Amino acid sequence: MLDGAVRAGSEVMRAAVGEQQEGGSARTRISVRAGVALAIFLIGAVVVSVIGLVIANVFANDSAKAQDDANGRIDASKPPFDVTVTPALGDRKPWTSWEIDRRLTPAEESELEKISASVENADRIWEFVRKADGRRTDGDANGYRFQFTSERQASVSITDVYAKIDTCWSSRAKTYISLMQGGLTGWEDVYFELDSNLSAIPLLHGTAQDSQAGIPFDKIIALGGNETPAYLNVLPNSTTRSCNWSLQLEYNVAPDATPKTRTVSKDEKGDDLVFNGPYATDADVWGPGPTGTFTKDTS
């Protein structure tokens, strides 16, 4: 467009100066025509340039908006957040308390009575329990670590977290083995009471054994927008029963403030979240004896 205006202006100037005549009057007319032509040429060039800039800006804005819309659609296609749930105790951590859903055979009792009942020997005890299809129990053995991540550029906020009970049962454990260490080992963050009759059980700060136990957990977990992953350590608590349970997460994705709910009921291996409660009242209880090995309580 600019080249066309330049060519048009040049032709006007050539036409204006092409009628050269002798005498002052003719030269005056030629000068006037040349000035008019030059003015028209300059004005045209400016107008064309302005129009070109406006058009380029419109196309740039449209292109940027189209790109933003495309990015928004791609972002919206991603899940609001991902949750990875792992047991608080790794597979190789032996722990200090165990239970088995049957009584030991005479041969197993004889073997256990020869095992040193000490923390330093926990690996050996855990090996014995696993061979008998037993499991770790108490404290951290019932806890889970929740890791929250999000690839969304939009801000994601988990505004409320609470627990729900699925099914419960009386303990099936008929053998309980413990080093009698008791308590928790540096566990923190949140716990909830499985003995509650509420349909939505609130989470509380710390652990059931903390001096500040009972303070409601009201933290907002911020994700998306390049936020770092968030972690939540959850420890159920019950003195009466074993239960499968789930964690309910209420969240929203900006700019929509409408709350949505997500349920997490399995760990990363696909196993149900479970709390193993106190052993049965008629279970055999084994602990450190006077000689440093395990002895069955006969009281």
Side-chain angles (χ1 to χ4, degrees), residues 116-263:
S116 172
S118 65
V119 175
E120 293 74 20
N121 200 40
D123 286 323
R124 173 70 184 87
I125 306 165
W126 178 216
E127 180 184 349
F128 171 87
V129 173
R130 277 194 293 192
K131 189 170 63 176
D133 294 324
R135 57 185 171 270
R136 296 165 297 185
T137 188
D138 297 343
D140 289 12
N142 282 317
Y144 291 87
R145 190 184 197 202
F146 289 71
Q147 175 180 301
F148 304 91
T149 58
S150 178
E151 295 182 358
R152 296 288 290 269
Q153 290 303 308
S155 296
V156 179
S157 300
I158 300 177
T159 57
D160 195 12
V161 186
Y162 52 92
K164 293 181 74 70
I165 297 173
D166 184 7
T167 56
C168 294
W169 59 92
S170 299
S171 177
R172 305 183 183 102
K174 295 299 182 181
T175 299
Y176 177 74
I177 304 169
S178 178
L179 295 175
M180 306 302 176
Q181 297 296 308
L184 305 172
T185 58
W187 199 250
E188 57 183 3
D189 281 356
V190 296
Y191 76 99
F192 65 91
E193 295 290 351
L194 277 169
D195 294 334
S196 171
N197 293 322
L198 298 175
S199 58
I201 306 173
L203 269 59
L204 307 172
H205 279 283
T207 71
Q209 286 74 24
D210 284 346
S211 59
Q212 296 183 352
I215 300 175
F217 175 79
D218 55 3
K219 175 183 176 182
I220 293 178
I221 300 174
L223 301 168
N226 298 317
E227 290 279 357
T228 57
Y231 299 91
L232 196 61
N233 296 321
V234 182
L235 182 66
N237 183 62
S238 174
T239 59
T240 62
R241 56 185 180 174
S242 301
C243 299
N244 288 331
W245 58 276
S246 64
L247 211 60
Q248 310 291 308
L249 310 169
E250 289 191 0
Y251 69 94
N252 61 66
V253 181
D256 184 5
T258 304
K260 301 176 179 63
T261 303
R262 178 172 176 180
T263 300

